[in-house]
Amino acid sequence: MSTTLELLSVQYALALLVGQSLDLRTMLHQFLPPALKLLNCRSGYLWLRRCEPFDTIPGIEPCYSYPKLKIPLVDKSANLAAVIQAIADNAWVLTQPLDIVETDGSYCHLLPIGQTGVLMLRRDPPLSTAHLQALTPVLMRLETACLACVQHANLEAARQEAERANQAKNEFLAMISHEIRTPMNSVMGLTDLLGYSELAPAQREYVELIRTSSGALLDIINEILDFSRIESGATHVNSAPFNVYALLETALAPLAVAARDKGIAFQWCIGADVPETVEGDAGRLRQVLINLVGNALKFTNRNGDIAINISALPHAPVGYARVRFSVRDTGIGIAAEQLKLIFQPFQQADSRISRRYGGTGLGLTISAQLVAMMGGELQVESQLAQGSTFYFTLLLPTQVTPTPATPVTDALGMVQRPLTILLAEDNEINGMFTRLLLNKVGHQVTVVENGREALESWQHQRPDVILMDMQMPVMDGVEATLLIRTNEQITGTHTPIIALTANVLASDRTRCLQAGMDDFLSKPVELPVLLAALERATAR
């Protein structure tokens, strides 16, 4: 084989060894040992001055060596150490190759790795000038690979830091939500309890004001949590058949009352060609509609009007309906230059709006993201001082089994089957009003303050159902549930357990269900929702 062909073969083989990994240590390990073998060198050292994690290595010790250098460089080779020290003093700049002859007759070739570092190859006899020249493009490639590894490491570190920050944010929001929801549950529960009492008209008005203010605070908490879930990718669309008419009734009926109280004309219309039953995420769709109509109510003054229109658009595929949802108001409107801002988080069309009308500025952001998750796009048309129309279109399957509307029942009607209920709740006020509310409909409630007391009470007398808080002193609700389920495996019995907690994350729900709980309710919980959960749990 000719010398030129041999050099090209070595150069090609060395080039193939470079950049096989984006981890710097792994990449150097994959490069240097085989390179030394190809070049018939005894050892090799690398110094890299701009590459993490090697920047922190003190003095003149190589950041990578093969075979591994087990003693200080100055003890291994005083001549080499002196030259490396001079290079280090010159900011690790080596403009051209250097050769050092050791006392044992071997040669140390010092080769620049661009502006990034130095490579030392020890060989006896020395490499030829042709071989050293052939190494130049290989070392340029090595410099590029080292810098790519550094960039990858920096990006990975940034990603991990962002994930840690996002996790810390989520944990903080979850903690704050829990700490706020616990007293909020007391406020809203006691308000309901008071509202079911005999009150003078003025007193009932005060109770309604408390209930409205509590609901507004809860909406703010939920919006912040929803935004956090969406931002972290923890929100998913759950598709199931639902009745369009029932959805509109439950979502809009309370808002119609608010519109009437404010003196706003309020109407909604469902086109005759809209299928009665479709498939989609009814909960997310309801949330979007409530957000949009709630905004319309907020920004429309007395004697204005709000219209909600649901219509079917043509040219839908077979088995689907292309349904357009629109909310029109005659409110304050939005200036053209502000339209692009309103879907951004914590933004409103004008800072003065936040001061006058309140709100977090998250409602439209959340709505736009939820609509996008369902396959649509939230859009807006608006004129300042004339009003706004928000609308979106969803493609919804129609070949589903019709779902009848759920009848509305009187929340305070006596239950047909009174239950004995064990309530594990460490907050005295929450335990008191929950017991009183359930007593009003005919249930008998025993209240304990922690999971251990719940376990002991369950062992003494089996209730029909257990309402279990998650976070309690002495023993939490999850541990108590695990112990109850372990005992039931021996006895072959099953007591329904429903989580009743201020924890609201999906991970909390999963943890409770995996422990053996039958259902999960987040505080504050309305009495009809609680009664429905009790009925479901005891009907199995």
Side-chain angles (χ1 to χ4, degrees):
M1 181 183 295
S2 68
T3 303
T4 302
L5 186 58
E6 179 185 355
L7 287 173
L8 287 174
S9 298
V10 171
Q11 188 182 62
Y12 179 72
L14 290 172
L16 290 178
L17 296 173
V18 176
Q20 295 186 20
S21 172
L22 282 173
D23 178 76
L24 186 55
R25 290 188 181 275
T26 302
M27 191 272 291
L28 293 178
H29 181 71
Q30 291 173 339
F31 167 75
L32 190 55
L36 296 176
K37 186 175 181 180
L38 277 170
L39 296 169
N40 198 23
C41 294
R42 291 163 54 181
S43 61
Y45 302 159
L46 272 158
W47 292 265
L48 300 172
R49 71 180 182 92
R50 296 193 302 174
C51 295
E52 293 285 356
F54 301 130
D55 283 345
T56 57
I57 294 178
I60 58 172
E61 301 304 314
C63 60
Y64 186 80
S65 59
Y66 189 85
K68 186 176 182 180
L69 185 62
K70 298 181 180 179
I71 60 175
L73 181 62
V74 69
D75 296 335
K76 178 72 174 178
S77 172
N79 289 341
L80 177 60
V83 174
I84 292 298
Q85 183 64 64
I87 296 173
D89 293 342
N90 193 35
W92 290 99
V93 175
L94 181 64
T95 57
Q96 59 184 3
L98 292 176
D99 290 338
I100 302 172
V101 181
E102 296 282 35
T103 56
D104 63 357
S106 63
Y107 282 76
C108 292
H109 299 289
L110 293 174
L111 307 172
I113 307 175
Q115 300 296 314
T116 300
V118 177
L119 170 66
M120 187 283 293
L121 299 176
R122 186 189 300 274
R123 193 178 190 274
D124 183 17
L127 288 167
S128 67
T129 302
H131 276 84
L132 293 175
Q133 290 175 345
L135 283 174
T136 301
V138 176
L139 295 179
M140 292 174 61
R141 180 179 174 89
L142 179 61
E143 178 186 32
T144 301
C146 289
L147 295 176
C149 289
V150 172
Q151 185 178 25
H152 174 75
N154 291 338
L155 289 173
E156 180 64 19
R159 183 188 65 81
Q160 293 177 359
E161 180 62 26
E163 288 181 350
R164 286 192 293 269
N166 190 59
Q167 179 66 23
K169 179 197 68 177
N170 289 340
E171 290 174 358
F172 172 77
L173 288 175
M175 179 193 69
I176 291 298
S177 172
H178 179 274
E179 295 306 310
I180 294 176
R181 283 173 182 274
T182 297
M184 277 294 298
N185 191 49
S186 299
V187 171
M188 298 181 75
L190 289 171
T191 302
D192 286 341
L193 193 61
L194 187 60
Y196 296 141
S197 306
E198 293 293 332
L199 298 173
Q203 293 173 325
R204 187 163 300 280
E205 182 180 356
Y206 299 153
V207 168
E208 289 303 318
L209 289 173
I210 296 173
R211 182 181 285 118
T212 301
S213 299
S214 301
L217 178 57
L218 185 61
D219 287 342
I220 291 173
I221 299 169
N222 289 335
E223 282 187 352
I224 294 173
L225 283 175
D226 279 340
F227 177 70
S228 176
R229 292 191 190 104
I230 293 172
E231 192 179 40
S232 62
T235 300
H236 305 284
V237 173
N238 299 311
S239 188
F242 67 90
N243 186 290
V244 177
Y245 295 85
L247 172 70
L248 267 291
E249 179 70 27
T250 57
L252 301 181
L255 296 170
V257 175
R260 182 195 62 200
D261 294 341
K262 193 176 178 181
I264 297 172
F266 189 92
Q267 59 180 339
W268 72 81
C269 174
I270 303 178
D273 50 354
V274 175
E276 181 178 350
T277 302
V278 295
E279 185 173 315
D281 192 326
R284 296 302 179 190
L285 182 55
R286 180 186 296 108
Q287 183 177 357
V288 170
L289 291 173
I290 290 175
N291 272 344
L292 296 181
V293 178
N295 270 356
L297 278 170
K298 182 190 298 185
F299 299 120
T300 301
N301 297 322
R302 179 174 294 276
N303 298 323
D305 66 82
I306 296 172
I308 300 96
N309 186 61
I310 317 297
S311 59
L313 301 183
H315 311 303
V318 177
Y320 289 83
R322 200 179 302 277
V323 183
R324 187 178 190 266
F325 300 82
S326 71
V327 178
R328 180 188 60 79
D329 65 64
T330 59
I332 62 175
I334 306 167
E337 62 272 16
Q338 300 292 336
L339 287 175
K340 60 183 179 181
L341 298 177
I342 60 173
F343 295 119
Q344 299 300 315
F346 305 106
Q347 294 289 331
Q348 291 185 331
D350 190 320
S351 60
R352 292 170 297 180
I353 289 176
S354 180
R355 293 193 296 268
R356 179 178 177 184
Y357 295 97
T360 61
L362 286 175
L364 287 177
T365 303
I366 294 169
S367 297
Q369 292 173 332
L370 290 177
V371 169
M373 291 172 61
M374 292 186 286
E377 179 185 4
L378 182 58
Q379 297 175 280
V380 58
E381 297 174 357
S382 185
Q383 290 185 358
L384 196 60
Q386 297 296 317
S388 305
T389 300
F390 288 85
Y391 60 95
F392 60 94
T393 301
L394 299 179
L395 188 63
L396 302 171
T398 58
Q399 295 179 344
V400 293
T401 304
T403 303
T406 303
V408 178
T409 57
D410 183 2
L412 280 183
M414 297 297 289
V415 293
Q416 295 181 352
R417 181 195 169 196
L419 301 173
T420 57
I421 299 171
L422 176 60
L423 171 62
E425 172 60 69
D426 63 319
N427 185 282
E428 182 179 357
I429 299 175
N430 283 343
M432 181 268 291
F433 82 75
T434 303
R435 174 177 59 80
L436 291 176
L437 281 174
L438 291 174
N439 285 346
K440 277 184 172 291
V441 297
H443 296 311
Q444 297 298 314
V445 182
T446 300
V447 183
V448 295
E449 294 184 353
N450 58 64
R452 183 172 297 281
E453 291 183 6
L455 179 62
E456 293 172 352
S457 178
W458 173 82
Q459 290 172 332
H460 177 70
Q461 184 174 3
R462 302 295 165 89
D464 294 318
V465 64
I466 301 174
L467 296 175
M468 187 77 77
D469 194 5
M470 278 188 73
Q471 295 182 209
M472 294 181 288
V474 184
M475 179 185 292
D476 64 38
V478 173
E479 183 180 356
T481 300
L482 288 169
L483 291 173
I484 290 173
R485 294 302 184 227
T486 300
N487 186 284
E488 288 179 339
Q489 290 178 358
I490 301 173
T491 62
T493 59
H494 181 84
T495 302
I497 301 177
I498 300 172
L500 184 58
T501 174
N503 295 28
V504 296
L505 299 182
S507 57
D508 297 321
R509 178 184 180 88
T510 300
R511 187 175 169 218
C512 288
L513 297 181
Q514 288 179 344
M517 297 190 193
D518 299 88
D519 207 344
F520 182 93
L521 297 178
S522 295
K523 299 174 183 173
V525 62
E526 296 179 352
L527 181 58
V529 175
L530 177 57
L531 294 178
L534 290 170
E535 185 176 349
R536 286 195 306 271
T538 55
R540 296 168 183 169

